[in-house]
Amino acid sequence: MQKIIMFFCLLCFASNYSQNTISGKIVDENEKPLEKSHIHISSKSAVSNRNGVYSINDIPFGPTKFLISYVGYQSIDTLITVTQNQVINFKLKQKAERLNEIVIKHKDNYYNNTVSEQKIKETAIEKYSSQSLANVLKEVSGVSILKSGSTIAKPVINGLHSSRVPIYNNNVKIEDQQWGVEHAPNFDINSAGKITVLKGASGLQYGGDAIGGIVVIEPISIKKDTLFGKVLTTLESNGRGGTISTSLHKGNFCDWSWNVQGSFKYYGDRQSPSYNLSNTGNREANFSGDIKYIGKKYDFSAFYSLYNATIGILSASHIGNVNDLYNSINNNIPYIVNDFDYSIKNPKQKVMHHLAKLNYNFNFNDNEVLGLQYSFQFNNRKEFDLRTGIQDSKPALDLNLITHTFNADYKLVNGDWDYKLGVSSSFQNNTASPNTGVRPLIPTYDKVDAAVYGIVDYHFSSDFSVEVGARYDFSSIQATKFYLKSRWDERNYSPDYNDFIIGDFGNQWLTKPQFVFHNFSASLGAQYSFGSDYDLYFNLSRAVRNPNPSEFFSDGLHHSSGMIELGDLRIVSEKSNKISTSLQKKWNNFAVNIGPFLNYIEDYIFLKPVGFETTIRGAFPVWEFNQTNAVLTGIDFNSQWKITKYFQHKLMISFVNGKDSTNDESLIDMPPLNINNRVQFNKKEWSNLKLEVQSEVVFRQNQFPNNNFTSNIVVDGNLVPVEIDISSPPQAYNLLHFSSDVDFKTSKNSFTTIGLSVFNIMNTKYRDYLNRQRFYADDLGRNIQIQVKINF
């Protein structure tokens, strides 16, 4: 009898706790599948495949919590009684609000399953509303900043920058003469809706020359029938100025939608912890807007943006003689320190960038689309120098760059296969104004580009996919340039390039250099999910970058940097061969991402300091472009730990080792090891109060080449030979930052956010190895920032 009772109890127990399988499909309002939707049932979780299908086993009987979520859509949180194996489908509705965030693609395939992502939320963009695109991207491991003073910055991805990191604004490659280190991207961060960074030779539909990576900027896109906007005001103590940005957005799923945005910045001199950084103010007045019509089978859009900035250059960086440079390096104080001033004097930059775009997409069906796009860009760059007897309003460099581009892209999804095919072409003209009274650093030139690419993606299963891509690029560049005969002979251009000479003008040759390139790029990517929430990403890529006009033709004083730069007609294309992987693991309250990489670059191009040259303007350091074979290795590490309901910890570590394999020495301008720790507190019950303390540790760069040289300086009226130390990196430093914000509901449909941030809380004195003006002055001191954002 006891055995019968025991058997009956076990039978009841088994029936109550037997497991079931729940499956189904996740779609949007138009019945389109939502791939990678997150499904949480009881303690189990899954991600939908490319057809929106999911399946979860071992679900017990009884009332069970279901949570379905997808980025940009309203989540479903409900209770369903499970009685057997069931098929349960869900339809998600799009959110009305925008998705302002930065997405970091760790691998090399944009918008594809073979990438790993990190996201920086809207608050990160807004916190840096007054700063640059590079400052925002620094929020991600593996991204550093290459600076020229306090206001000019550009991103460095895994040790590479400038032409190796093309930037795309609304699917248009920004052409703004940003070849030079001191040429920041002409872009207003306040106009960004989402920004994506692809590390490595990636996104072949964008280009085959992205040896370092690609930055893709997208404006806000709203598909719901809604109207909203915001006004964001930022006031800062360092620079005693501020920024105001306002935007208005009208969305619609079908029919017309539009966006408008504008910003204005006004700052005076910045300050280091010990002194004023004279002539470092800046002004900006920016605008962007677009209009879009969405039909059932097609959509059409038009976009325009204007970036207009005046940027002061640190007065002490225009040294003019060897004594000033030697004293600046050894005395650790600028030789020019004036009182605070809002005026911007020479040296300075004035840049204006116009971008206009027309785009048309036709959907043959849900799985097939053809996109056509034309874009026009006009960029004017003026650089003003300190010149005796010349009007301050007359630039020493005046460049006008015009670019026309046409793209056609075709995408097809056929079962487990994805296909992307495309062609592109562009024509570019750069005109150097002859009215400056100075031989232009960059000459007048014409450039023609054409390309074709193909990418195939196959999904073996929902856990494993492989992508293969190839691209061919044709490029031709022809310049019109005067060379001093002394420079021509110094560079030993005869007899190899005598056929470029078309005229004899006394002490100058008139030349027409022309170069033609045929490049092939390719990539192989894979993604594999295994175990318990493990994701492995792998990418192997080959990319080729042609020399830019600066590397070819630079010949003279770069006025905004106070350096003489020398290009070389012998420079050939760089060839990058990169292997990168990323391993991601998620637990309930902890996630980690580890991404090592190895990049072997044949004919790596870099600027090398070689000495001083005396001109009628003074004595200036000389940097010339060189080539070598280089090996870059490194690792990026990210972790997020939800300590409690209210506290969270974030850790980012980045390390890059750059080696000149030809000469067996370190590469110049490689970012040092840096560790970023953050502790965040967020309690929604307290008006969504957010507090964050951040520690930014930057180690000393102990791996660097010795480019020191000997020169004569004047001591007590006599010439004395001394060593000019321009190689030794500055000491390590640790900066502490604090930020906070709180929300207040001001009406039924609007709320206000008030934020307080303090950068460099301890007013730490430091110099950054990646700051080209570190020879002359310290970096920024404490900066108190107050922000008020009104959403309506």
Side-chain angles (χ1 to χ4, degrees):
M1 187 64 180
Q2 289 180 342
K3 291 182 179 180
I4 295 175
I5 295 175
M6 183 176 295
F7 176 77
F8 178 78
C9 292
L10 290 173
L11 184 63
C12 292
F13 180 85
S15 65
N16 285 328
Y17 288 88
S18 61
Q19 306 297 295
N20 303 283
T21 297
I22 305 298
S23 60
K25 189 174 183 179
I26 314 298
V27 298
D28 65 9
E29 295 167 293
N30 297 305
E31 302 296 332
K32 291 184 177 180
L34 295 177
E35 181 184 1
K36 287 195 172 182
S37 297
H38 290 271
I39 302 97
H40 297 269
I41 304 176
S42 184
S43 60
K44 305 290 184 179
S45 63
V47 176
S48 61
N49 64 18
R50 62 197 313 270
N51 298 313
V53 175
Y54 74 94
S55 179
I56 301 180
N57 300 321
D58 301 328
I59 303 300
F61 282 95
T64 305
K65 183 178 180 180
F66 283 64
L67 176 61
I68 316 298
S69 62
Y70 187 80
V71 175
Y73 289 74
Q74 298 177 12
S75 299
I76 294 177
D77 190 351
T78 185
L79 200 67
I80 297 176
T81 300
V82 176
T83 59
Q84 58 184 351
N85 295 340
Q86 291 176 265
V87 176
I88 305 177
N89 300 322
F90 294 93
K91 181 181 292 187
L92 301 183
K93 296 182 178 180
Q94 285 187 313
K95 291 182 179 179
E97 69 265 16
R98 56 186 168 159
L99 298 175
N100 275 14
E101 60 190 20
I102 295 181
V103 181
I104 304 302
K105 301 284 185 179
H106 280 275
K107 305 299 339 126
D108 301 342
N109 304 281
Y110 184 46
Y111 291 149
N112 187 272
N113 285 338
T114 61
V115 299
S116 170
E117 298 182 358
Q118 280 187 344
K119 299 180 182 180
I120 300 179
K121 297 180 180 179
E122 176 183 2
T123 51
I125 298 178
E126 294 177 343
K127 185 170 69 173
Y128 293 97
S129 171
S130 61
Q131 300 186 40
S132 68
L133 171 66
N135 289 92
V136 179
L137 298 179
K138 190 184 174 184
E139 293 282 297
V140 179
S141 64
V143 180
S144 307
I145 300 180
L146 186 66
K147 297 185 289 186
S148 293
S150 56
T151 53
I152 301 175
K154 59 202 315 176
V156 180
I157 300 178
N158 291 153
L160 301 174
H161 57 83
S162 300
S163 296
R164 303 180 184 97
V165 184
I167 298 173
Y168 284 77
N169 181 13
N170 201 358
N171 203 42
V172 178
K173 182 181 179 181
I174 297 179
E175 301 286 357
D176 58 358
Q177 302 147 332
Q178 62 153 316
W179 319 298
V181 171
E182 64 294 322
H183 295 179
N186 294 171
F187 174 74
D188 176 22
I189 190 63
N190 294 287
S191 65
K194 182 170 65 174
I195 302 177
T196 308
V197 174
L198 295 81
K199 296 181 180 179
S202 42
L204 290 178
Q205 63 267 43
Y206 290 101
D209 59 349
I211 290 177
I214 296 177
V215 177
V216 182
I217 304 165
E218 298 174 79
I220 297 166
S221 179
I222 306 300
K223 293 184 178 180
K224 292 290 289 184
D225 186 5
T226 184
L227 176 67
F228 67 89
K230 75 171 182 181
V231 176
L232 177 62
T233 303
T234 304
L235 298 175
E236 295 185 281
S237 64
N238 201 328
R240 305 181 194 179
T243 299
I244 183 168
S245 173
T246 183
S247 60
L248 190 63
H249 314 276
K250 175 66 169 69
N252 220 323
F253 185 76
C254 285
D255 213 345
W256 294 95
S257 60
W258 49 264
N259 303 280
V260 291
Q261 180 271 335
S263 66
F264 178 74
K265 300 180 182 181
Y266 191 95
Y267 289 88
D269 292 341
R270 268 53 175 207
Q271 293 84 41
S272 75
S274 304
Y275 44 76
N276 190 60
L277 300 171
S278 299
N279 200 49
T280 55
N282 67 300
R283 315 276 189 272
E284 285 187 24
N286 310 311
F287 171 82
S288 66
D290 68 84
I291 185 169
K292 185 174 186 177
Y293 179 80
I294 303 175
K296 292 183 178 180
K297 299 286 290 186
Y298 70 93
D299 62 77
F300 170 83
S301 65
F303 172 82
Y304 170 76
S305 71
L306 167 66
Y307 178 86
N308 188 10
T310 300
I311 305 168
I313 306 297
L314 179 71
S315 296
S317 67
H318 274 229
I319 49 175
N321 60 68
V322 184
N323 275 54
D324 291 338
L325 177 63
Y326 179 79
N327 292 330
S328 292
I329 292 175
N330 289 275
N331 297 339
N332 290 318
I333 188 170
Y335 82 100
I336 296 178
V337 178
N338 298 321
D339 293 336
F340 175 87
D341 195 349
Y342 280 105
S343 63
I344 300 177
K345 307 179 183 68
N346 293 349
K348 64 185 177 185
Q349 298 179 2
K350 283 189 175 181
V351 293
M352 180 180 292
H353 186 80
H354 299 266
L355 189 158
K357 186 196 80 165
L358 298 175
N359 181 265
Y360 175 81
N361 295 304
F362 182 80
N363 298 289
F364 297 97
N365 51 57
D366 289 344
N367 299 319
E368 189 177 11
V369 61
L370 173 67
L372 303 175
Q373 178 178 291
Y374 165 76
S375 65
F376 169 81
Q377 295 180 75
F378 173 74
N379 193 87
N380 175 247
R381 168 174 289 275
K382 294 179 180 179
E383 297 184 358
F384 299 81
D385 194 10
L386 296 169
R387 296 194 286 171
T388 304
I390 303 295
Q391 294 179 353
D392 287 348
S393 59
K394 189 172 186 178
L397 181 70
D398 188 352
L399 301 177
N400 290 318
L401 185 68
I402 296 175
T403 308
H404 302 270
T405 305
F406 173 79
N407 299 322
D409 298 282
Y410 173 78
K411 298 179 182 180
L412 171 66
V413 177
N414 185 12
D416 291 324
W417 294 88
D418 291 351
Y419 303 92
K420 298 178 186 177
L421 304 172
V423 296
S424 66
S425 62
S426 70
F427 171 76
Q428 187 174 89
N429 169 258
N430 182 73
T431 302
S433 173
N435 299 321
T436 62
V438 179
R439 287 191 309 114
L441 176 71
I442 302 296
T444 295
Y445 69 83
D446 291 324
K447 187 170 180 282
V448 177
D449 295 299
V452 58
Y453 76 87
I455 301 172
V456 178
D457 189 358
Y458 181 70
H459 299 260
F460 291 91
S461 68
S462 60
D463 296 327
F464 181 52
S465 60
V466 173
E467 182 188 83
V468 178
R471 181 183 176 99
Y472 164 74
D473 285 274
F474 166 83
S475 183
S476 172
I477 184 170
Q478 183 180 66
T480 302
K481 178 175 175 57
F482 283 94
Y483 276 97
L484 289 172
K485 290 181 178 179
S486 58
R487 182 77 77 193
W488 187 269
D489 294 337
E490 173 192 297
R491 307 298 291 175
N492 296 317
Y493 285 153
S494 294
D496 295 344
Y497 301 107
N498 283 346
D499 56 332
F500 290 163
I501 299 174
I502 61 172
D504 187 340
F505 289 80
N507 67 339
Q508 297 186 90
W509 294 119
L510 176 60
T511 67
K512 274 209 168 183
Q514 182 173 6
F515 300 92
V516 175
F517 303 93
H518 301 274
N519 299 331
F520 293 90
S521 304
S523 68
L524 169 65
Q527 178 268 331
Y528 178 55
S529 298
F530 62 96
S532 177
D533 291 324
Y534 281 95
D535 290 292
L536 177 65
Y537 303 86
F538 170 83
N539 190 268
L540 174 64
S541 60
R542 164 82 171 183
V544 181
R545 183 185 74 87
N546 299 327
N548 63 46
S550 177
E551 294 160 342
F552 265 141
F553 308 123
S554 289
D555 180 22
L557 180 62
H558 202 155
H559 305 278
S560 65
S561 63
M563 299 189 308
I564 291 175
E565 293 183 7
L566 300 178
D568 195 332
L569 296 177
R570 299 181 183 86
I571 286 181
V572 297
S573 300
E574 291 179 332
K575 281 78 67 177
S576 167
N577 308 276
K578 185 173 183 179
I579 299 175
S580 55
T581 61
S582 179
L583 178 63
Q584 178 178 294
K585 165 63 177 173
K586 294 181 180 180
W587 291 269
N588 290 335
N589 297 314
F590 189 78
V592 63
N593 192 309
I594 303 173
F597 66 88
L598 184 152
N599 195 356
Y600 174 65
I601 304 177
E602 304 168 57
D603 299 312
Y604 174 78
I605 303 171
F606 65 100
L607 259 178
K608 179 179 180 179
V610 293
F612 260 74
E613 185 173 302
T614 301
T615 70
I616 59 173
R617 169 73 171 72
F620 293 92
V622 179
W623 294 64
E624 66 177 19
F625 287 98
N626 281 248
Q627 285 193 286
T628 189
N629 292 330
V631 178
L632 278 69
T633 56
I635 188 168
D636 300 330
F637 176 89
N638 305 277
S639 69
Q640 295 190 25
W641 178 24
K642 187 176 181 181
I643 305 172
T644 67
K645 179 181 179 181
Y646 303 115
F647 284 94
Q648 181 174 274
H649 175 264
K650 293 184 178 181
L651 172 64
M652 297 190 306
I653 303 175
S654 298
F655 173 74
V656 179
N657 178 35
K659 193 76 174 178
D660 179 344
S661 59
T662 300
N663 301 303
D664 193 26
E665 64 179 15
S666 298
L667 292 175
I668 194 172
D669 291 337
M670 288 291 112
L673 171 67
N674 63 85
I675 301 176
N676 195 309
N677 273 285
R678 302 180 182 203
V679 176
Q680 299 172 330
F681 172 84
N682 181 205
K683 191 165 186 176
K684 294 183 178 180
E685 298 85 348
W686 293 355
S687 300
N688 197 25
L689 174 65
K690 298 175 184 176
L691 305 173
E692 178 182 279
V693 177
Q694 176 186 355
S695 168
E696 180 184 354
V697 179
V698 179
F699 288 73
R700 184 179 187 273
Q701 178 56 278
N702 293 317
Q703 301 176 13
F704 60 93
N706 184 357
N707 293 315
N708 296 343
F709 57 90
T710 300
S711 184
N712 294 321
I713 67 170
V714 179
V715 179
D716 297 329
N718 300 313
L719 288 177
V720 178
V722 295
E723 183 182 50
I724 309 296
D725 184 4
I726 60 172
S727 303
S728 298
Q731 297 300 312
Y733 60 88
N734 180 15
L735 303 180
L736 295 178
H737 312 299
F738 168 80
S739 63
S740 64
D741 60 72
V742 63
D743 297 338
F744 298 97
K745 193 165 184 63
T746 51
S747 69
K748 180 180 179 181
N749 296 316
S750 68
F751 67 93
T752 298
T753 301
I754 298 177
L756 171 66
S757 299
V758 184
F759 301 96
N760 193 0
I761 296 173
M762 306 305 295
N763 207 25
T764 300
K765 180 179 179 179
Y766 72 101
R767 297 194 180 194
D768 193 329
Y769 177 62
L770 294 185
N771 190 339
R772 279 298 177 90
Q773 293 183 3
R774 64 181 171 86
F775 304 117
Y776 316 111
D778 294 333
D779 269 271
L780 293 181
R782 183 186 298 115
N783 183 26
I784 301 173
Q785 173 181 285
I786 298 175
Q787 283 190 327
V788 178
K789 180 180 66 171
I790 302 174
N791 296 276
F792 54 88

